[in-house]
Amino acid sequence: MTVTPDAIKQLKQEVGIAAAKRVKSGMVVGLGTGSTTAYAIEELGARLASGELKDIIGIPTSFSAAILAKKYGVPVRTLDDVDRIDVAIDGADEVDPAKNLIKGGGAAHTREKVVDSLAALFIVVVDESKLVQKLGSTFAVPVEILPMAIAPVTKAIEKLGGKPELRLAIKKDGPIITDQGNFVLDVTFADIPDPAELEKTLNNIPGVLENGLFVGVTDIVLVGEFKDGKPMIREF
Ligand code: 5RP
């Protein structure tokens, strides 16, 4: 069947809700960023409001997640206030068969990696359009950089064979500015034979804060997909 934007939206909603239903009372929950996770945050708020869920603490991965948590009544704290994260729920831009990810479509990958990596259980929520055989096949690798280092970082990335493009803002002239006040380069690679190696190599360039390759972090992927015309959730 043709997967329309409305159908994708429905899958995102179903998968976000399914992840939020796995949260139990008393848990510290990493709140990811993006349109899929937004449904999970909304569902957490609904479960809190109904009394089905009690005493959870949200750790937002972005200003966007913090604003949604406030809107839906999910209490938030910072990493300074907690000694653990029980579960993190976050979206992704690509997921490969080994559950490695490209993230950062919302330029939030730096905080997302901190929070998602700390979680005892990291649940990725995606619709089926995000599944790829190889990372980098549909999405560039977002790299957050210090603005003053754009020239040397660009050269270093080109030396690695990447094609960096400064991400531009919408409804603001010039580059997007991350929650930390930095720029993002979206880097296209013809091939990423070893995502783990590239993740480390990129982060080793002076001026790079973090890149969107998430290797070995994911525990569970919940995929929203259509089977015989009906929306289903598959776990892998
Ligand atoms: C933000 C992210 C998002 O999780 C990723 O872009 C997926 O977003 P969406 O659920 O809207 O498709 O990494 O930095």
Side-chain angles (χ1 to χ4, degrees), residues 12 32-38 90-93 102-109 112 125-127 130 139 167 214:
K12 285 178 181 228
T33 302
S35 55
T36 318
T37 319
D90 208 345
D93 301 296
I102 291 183
K103 285 184 53 53
H109 56 281
E112 288 174 329
V125 283
V126 288
D127 64 84
K130 306 294 185 65
F139 209 82
R167 192 183 296 183
F214 282 46

Side-chain angles (χ1 to χ4, degrees), residues 63 104 106-111 143-147 167 172 175-185 209-210:
F63 294 152
H109 56 281
T110 299
R111 293 189 193 201
V143 181
E144 180 167 357
I145 65 159
L146 289 176
R167 192 183 296 183
K172 169 200 170 283
I176 64 136
I177 305 295
T178 67
D179 290 2
Q180 293 72 243
N182 296 312
F183 292 172
V184 170
L185 296 175
L209 246 87
E210 189 54 86

Side-chain angles (χ1 to χ4, degrees), residues 15-16 18-23 29-33 36-37 40-41 44 61 87-91 115-116 119 121-125:
V15 84
K21 287 201 186 302
R22 296 191 178 209
V23 173
V29 187
L31 304 174
T33 302
T36 318
T37 319
I41 298 172
L44 288 174
T61 56
V87 59
I89 301 170
D90 208 345
V115 172
D116 298 344
L121 182 73
F122 174 31
I123 304 176
V124 173
V125 283

